[in-house]
């Protein structure tokens, strides 16, 4: 695209991602997508295949309305699963795949989080297709800070009897791993594996293992404004 149009479309996509829905911006984004689709496709077959997949994912993202949170969650995770399947179709059978994502997406079941009740997350779709060949690893921390805007926000300290305190019971503050067997022995516990919300469940039914850190430190936020 011409440089000025490319820059304006990049800004519009970024604002849609970080600032949320705006009717006037949606019109601009639809115009950007139409312009992108008129561009010549790559001559290389694999590059052309990837180009078309990226356009498809951009179109699906724009079709979601972030104001409808449940539909946005479900549509986003379905797209994530479809993209995984698309990549796997081009790889040799048996290729090992590691997906780095938030635990609420990786978990075999996200429904302990009330907003996910009745919805399918990425991990549940992966588990349905791959069964026990898939392994869902969760991450939590005793406390610390997590991403926030305009400043990091504090994580509520893990309470006595929580899964975090089961993993790290004293103040030696060493990172701990809870295996599937340890999660089964723990039974129903409260833990902050899903975006640090304090949720109670039998986590052996949700993840296959969990890493608990003594403290989490917020990543740098690339957003300059919102």
């Amino acid at each position: 695209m011409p440089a000025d149009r490319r820059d304006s479309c990049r800004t519009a996509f970024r604002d849609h991602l970080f600032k949320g829905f705006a009717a006037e911006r949606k019109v601009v984004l639809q115009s950007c997508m139409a312009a992108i689709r008129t561009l010549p496709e790559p001559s290389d077959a694999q590059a052309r295949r990837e180009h078309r997949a990226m356009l498809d994912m951009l179109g699906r993202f724009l079709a979601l309305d972030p104001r409808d949170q449940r539909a946005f969650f479900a549509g986003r995770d379905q797209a994530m699963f479809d993209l995984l399947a698309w990549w796997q179709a081009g790889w040799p059978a048996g290729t090992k795949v590691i997906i780095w994502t938030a635990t609420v997406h990786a978990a075999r079941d996200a429904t302990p989080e009330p907003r996910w009740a009745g919805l399918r997350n990425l991990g549940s779709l992966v588990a349905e297709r791959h069964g026990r060949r898939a392994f869902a690893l969760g991450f939590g921390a005793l406390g610390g800070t997590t991403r926030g805007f305009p400043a990091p926000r504090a994580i509520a300290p893990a309470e006595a009897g929580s899964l975090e305190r089961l993993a790290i019971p004293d103040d030696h503050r060493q990172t701990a791993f809870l295996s599937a067997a340890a999660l089964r022995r723990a039974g129903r516990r409260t833990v902050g594996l899903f975006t640090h919300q304090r949720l109670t469940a039998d986590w052996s039914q949700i993840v296959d293992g969990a890493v608990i850190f003594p403290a989490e430190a917020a990543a740098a936020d690339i957003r300059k404004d919102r």
Side-chain angles (χ1 to χ4, degrees), residues 147-191:
R147 186 178 59 187
F149 192 83
R153 61 183 177 88
I155 298 170
E159 66 277 14
S162 65
L163 198 59
E164 294 98 338
R165 276 299 177 189
L166 175 69
I168 306 177
D170 51 37
D171 291 328
H172 291 165
R173 304 181 68 77
Q174 294 182 347
T175 299
F177 172 70
L178 294 170
S179 66
L183 291 171
R184 286 193 295 271
R185 290 194 298 270
R188 288 180 61 82
R189 298 264 181 164
T190 299
V191 71

Coordinates of all heavy atoms in Angstrom, one line a residue, residues 147-191:
R147 N 0.2 -6.8 34.3 CA 0.0 -5.7 33.3 C -1.2 -4.9 33.7 O -2.3 -5.5 34.0 CB -0.1 -6.3 31.9 CG -0.1 -5.2 30.8 CD -0.2 -5.9 29.5 NE -1.3 -6.7 29.3 CZ -1.5 -7.5 28.3 NH1 -0.6 -7.6 27.3 NH2 -2.6 -8.3 28.2
G148 N -1.1 -3.6 33.6 CA -2.2 -2.7 33.8 C -2.0 -1.4 33.0 O -0.9 -1.2 32.5
F149 N -3.0 -0.6 32.9 CA -2.8 0.6 32.1 C -3.5 1.8 32.9 O -4.6 1.6 33.3 CB -3.4 0.5 30.7 CG -3.0 1.7 29.8 CD1 -1.8 1.7 29.2 CD2 -3.8 2.8 29.7 CE1 -1.4 2.7 28.3 CE2 -3.5 3.8 28.9 CZ -2.3 3.8 28.2
P150 N -2.8 2.9 33.2 CA -1.5 3.3 32.7 C -0.3 2.7 33.5 O 0.9 2.9 33.2 CB -1.5 4.8 32.8 CG -2.4 5.0 34.0 CD -3.4 3.9 33.9
A151 N -0.6 2.0 34.6 CA 0.5 1.5 35.4 C 0.2 0.0 35.8 O -0.9 -0.4 35.8 CB 0.7 2.3 36.7
P152 N 1.3 -0.8 36.1 CA 1.0 -2.2 36.5 C 0.1 -2.2 37.7 O 0.1 -1.3 38.5 CB 2.4 -2.7 36.9 CG 3.3 -1.8 36.1 CD 2.7 -0.5 36.0
R153 N -0.7 -3.3 37.8 CA -1.5 -3.5 39.0 C -1.0 -4.6 39.9 O -0.4 -5.5 39.4 CB -3.0 -3.7 38.6 CG -3.2 -5.0 37.8 CD -4.7 -5.1 37.3 NE -4.9 -6.2 36.5 CZ -5.2 -7.5 37.0 NH1 -5.3 -7.7 38.3 NH2 -5.4 -8.5 36.1
A154 N -1.3 -4.5 41.2 CA -0.9 -5.5 42.2 C -1.7 -6.7 42.1 O -2.9 -6.7 41.8 CB -0.9 -4.9 43.6
I155 N -1.0 -7.9 42.2 CA -1.7 -9.2 42.3 C -2.1 -9.4 43.8 O -1.2 -9.3 44.6 CB -0.8 -10.3 41.8 CG1 -0.5 -10.1 40.3 CG2 -1.5 -11.7 42.0 CD1 0.6 -11.0 39.8
A156 N -3.3 -9.8 44.0 CA -3.7 -10.1 45.4 C -2.9 -11.2 45.9 O -2.8 -12.3 45.3 CB -5.2 -10.4 45.4
P157 N -2.3 -11.1 47.1 CA -1.5 -12.2 47.7 C -2.3 -13.5 47.9 O -3.5 -13.5 48.2 CB -1.1 -11.6 49.1 CG -1.2 -10.2 48.9 CD -2.4 -9.9 48.0
A158 N -1.7 -14.6 47.6 CA -2.4 -15.9 47.7 C -2.7 -16.2 49.2 O -1.8 -16.0 50.1 CB -1.5 -17.0 47.2
E159 N -3.9 -16.6 49.5 CA -4.3 -16.9 50.8 C -3.9 -18.3 51.3 O -3.6 -19.1 50.5 CB -5.8 -16.7 50.9 CG -6.6 -17.7 50.2 CD -6.8 -17.4 48.7 OE1 -6.1 -16.6 48.2 OE2 -7.6 -18.1 48.1
A160 N -3.9 -18.5 52.6 CA -3.6 -19.8 53.2 C -4.6 -20.8 52.6 O -5.8 -20.5 52.5 CB -3.7 -19.7 54.7
G161 N -4.1 -22.0 52.3 CA -4.9 -23.1 51.8 C -5.1 -23.0 50.3 O -5.7 -23.9 49.7
S162 N -4.6 -22.0 49.7 CA -4.7 -21.9 48.2 C -3.8 -22.8 47.5 O -2.9 -23.4 48.1 CB -4.4 -20.4 47.8 OG -3.1 -20.1 48.0
L163 N -4.0 -23.0 46.2 CA -3.1 -23.9 45.4 C -1.7 -23.3 45.4 O -0.7 -24.1 45.4 CB -3.6 -24.0 44.0 CG -3.1 -25.2 43.2 CD1 -3.4 -26.5 43.9 CD2 -3.7 -25.2 41.8
E164 N -1.6 -22.0 45.3 CA -0.2 -21.4 45.4 C 0.5 -21.7 46.7 O 1.7 -22.0 46.6 CB -0.3 -19.8 45.2 CG -0.9 -19.4 43.8 CD -2.3 -19.1 43.9 OE1 -3.0 -19.6 44.8 OE2 -2.8 -18.3 43.0
R165 N -0.2 -21.6 47.8 CA 0.4 -21.8 49.1 C 0.7 -23.3 49.3 O 1.5 -23.7 50.1 CB -0.4 -21.3 50.2 CG -0.2 -19.8 50.4 CD 1.2 -19.6 50.8 NE 1.6 -18.2 51.0 CZ 2.8 -17.7 51.2 NH1 3.8 -18.6 51.2 NH2 3.0 -16.4 51.3
L166 N -0.1 -24.2 48.6 CA 0.2 -25.6 48.7 C 1.5 -25.9 48.0 O 2.3 -26.7 48.4 CB -0.9 -26.4 48.0 CG -0.7 -27.9 47.9 CD1 -0.7 -28.6 49.2 CD2 -1.7 -28.5 46.9
A167 N 1.8 -25.2 46.9 CA 3.0 -25.3 46.1 C 4.2 -24.7 46.8 O 5.3 -25.3 46.8 CB 2.8 -24.7 44.7
I168 N 4.0 -23.5 47.4 CA 5.1 -22.8 48.1 C 4.6 -22.5 49.5 O 4.1 -21.4 49.7 CB 5.5 -21.5 47.3 CG1 5.8 -21.9 45.9 CG2 6.7 -20.9 48.0 CD1 6.2 -20.7 45.0
P169 N 4.7 -23.4 50.4 CA 4.1 -23.3 51.8 C 4.9 -22.3 52.7 O 4.3 -21.9 53.7 CB 4.1 -24.7 52.3 CG 5.2 -25.4 51.6 CD 5.3 -24.8 50.3
D170 N 6.1 -22.0 52.4 CA 6.9 -21.2 53.3 C 7.5 -20.0 52.6 O 7.1 -19.7 51.5 CB 8.1 -22.0 53.9 CG 8.9 -22.8 52.9 OD1 9.1 -22.2 51.8 OD2 9.3 -23.9 53.2
D171 N 8.4 -19.3 53.2 CA 9.0 -18.1 52.6 C 10.3 -18.4 51.9 O 11.1 -17.4 51.7 CB 9.1 -17.0 53.6 CG 7.7 -16.5 54.1 OD1 6.8 -16.6 53.3 OD2 7.6 -16.1 55.3
H172 N 10.6 -19.6 51.6 CA 11.9 -19.9 50.8 C 11.8 -19.4 49.4 O 12.8 -19.2 48.8 CB 12.2 -21.4 50.9 CG 12.6 -21.9 52.2 ND1 12.6 -23.2 52.5 CD2 12.9 -21.2 53.4 CE1 12.9 -23.4 53.8 NE2 13.1 -22.2 54.3
R173 N 10.6 -19.2 48.9 CA 10.3 -18.5 47.7 C 11.0 -19.2 46.5 O 11.8 -18.5 45.7 CB 10.6 -17.0 47.8 CG 9.9 -16.4 48.9 CD 10.2 -14.9 49.0 NE 9.6 -14.2 47.8 CZ 8.4 -13.8 47.7 NH1 7.5 -14.2 48.6 NH2 8.0 -13.2 46.6
Q174 N 10.8 -20.4 46.3 CA 11.4 -21.1 45.1 C 10.2 -21.5 44.2 O 9.2 -22.0 44.7 CB 12.1 -22.4 45.6 CG 13.4 -22.1 46.4 CD 14.1 -23.4 46.8 OE1 13.6 -24.5 46.6 NE2 15.4 -23.2 47.2
T175 N 10.5 -21.3 42.9 CA 9.5 -21.7 41.9 C 9.1 -23.2 42.1 O 10.0 -24.0 42.3 CB 10.0 -21.4 40.5 OG1 10.2 -20.0 40.4 CG2 8.9 -21.8 39.5
A176 N 7.8 -23.5 42.0 CA 7.4 -24.9 42.2 C 6.5 -25.4 41.1 O 5.9 -24.6 40.4 CB 6.6 -25.0 43.5
F177 N 6.6 -26.7 40.9 CA 5.7 -27.3 39.8 C 4.8 -28.3 40.5 O 5.2 -29.1 41.3 CB 6.6 -28.1 38.8 CG 5.8 -28.9 37.8 CD1 5.0 -28.3 36.8 CD2 5.8 -30.3 37.9 CE1 4.3 -29.0 35.9 CE2 5.1 -31.0 37.0 CZ 4.3 -30.4 36.0
L178 N 3.5 -28.2 40.1 CA 2.5 -29.1 40.6 C 2.1 -30.1 39.4 O 1.6 -29.6 38.4 CB 1.2 -28.4 41.1 CG 1.4 -27.5 42.3 CD1 0.2 -26.6 42.5 CD2 1.7 -28.4 43.5
S179 N 2.4 -31.3 39.6 CA 2.1 -32.3 38.5 C 0.6 -32.6 38.5 O -0.2 -32.2 39.4 CB 2.9 -33.6 38.8 OG 2.4 -34.2 40.0
A180 N 0.2 -33.4 37.5 CA -1.2 -33.9 37.5 C -1.6 -34.6 38.7 O -2.7 -34.4 39.3 CB -1.4 -34.7 36.2
A181 N -0.7 -35.5 39.2 CA -1.0 -36.2 40.5 C -1.1 -35.3 41.7 O -2.0 -35.5 42.5 CB 0.1 -37.2 40.7
A182 N -0.3 -34.3 41.8 CA -0.4 -33.3 42.9 C -1.6 -32.5 42.8 O -2.3 -32.2 43.8 CB 0.9 -32.4 42.8
L183 N -2.1 -32.2 41.6 CA -3.3 -31.4 41.4 C -4.5 -32.3 41.9 O -5.5 -31.8 42.5 CB -3.5 -31.0 40.0 CG -2.5 -29.9 39.5 CD1 -2.6 -29.7 38.0 CD2 -2.8 -28.6 40.3
R184 N -4.5 -33.6 41.5 CA -5.5 -34.5 41.9 C -5.6 -34.6 43.5 O -6.7 -34.6 44.1 CB -5.4 -35.9 41.3 CG -5.7 -35.9 39.8 CD -5.8 -37.4 39.3 NE -4.5 -38.1 39.4 CZ -3.6 -38.1 38.5 NH1 -3.8 -37.4 37.3 NH2 -2.5 -38.8 38.6
R185 N -4.4 -34.7 44.1 CA -4.4 -34.8 45.6 C -4.9 -33.5 46.2 O -5.5 -33.6 47.3 CB -3.0 -35.1 46.0 CG -2.5 -36.5 45.7 CD -1.2 -36.9 46.5 NE -0.1 -36.0 46.2 CZ 0.8 -36.2 45.2 NH1 0.7 -37.3 44.5 NH2 1.8 -35.4 45.0
A186 N -4.7 -32.4 45.6 CA -5.1 -31.1 46.1 C -6.6 -31.0 46.2 O -7.1 -30.3 47.1 CB -4.4 -30.0 45.3
G187 N -7.3 -31.6 45.3 CA -8.8 -31.4 45.3 C -9.2 -30.0 44.9 O -8.5 -29.3 44.2
R188 N -10.3 -29.6 45.4 CA -10.8 -28.2 45.1 C -10.0 -27.2 45.9 O -9.9 -27.3 47.1 CB -12.3 -28.1 45.5 CG -13.2 -28.9 44.5 CD -14.7 -28.7 44.9 NE -15.1 -27.3 44.9 CZ -15.5 -26.6 43.8 NH1 -15.5 -27.2 42.6 NH2 -15.8 -25.4 43.8
R189 N -9.4 -26.3 45.2 CA -8.6 -25.2 45.8 C -8.9 -23.9 45.1 O -9.3 -23.9 43.9 CB -7.1 -25.5 45.7 CG -6.7 -26.8 46.4 CD -6.2 -26.5 47.8 NE -5.8 -27.8 48.5 CZ -5.0 -27.8 49.5 NH1 -4.6 -26.7 50.1 NH2 -4.7 -29.0 50.1
T190 N -8.6 -22.8 45.8 CA -8.6 -21.5 45.1 C -7.3 -21.2 44.6 O -6.2 -21.5 45.2 CB -9.1 -20.4 46.2 OG1 -10.4 -20.7 46.7 CG2 -9.1 -19.1 45.6
V191 N -7.2 -20.6 43.4 CA -6.0 -20.2 42.8 C -6.2 -19.1 41.8 O -7.4 -18.9 41.3 CB -5.3 -21.5 42.1 CG1 -6.1 -21.9 40.8 CG2 -3.9 -21.2 41.7

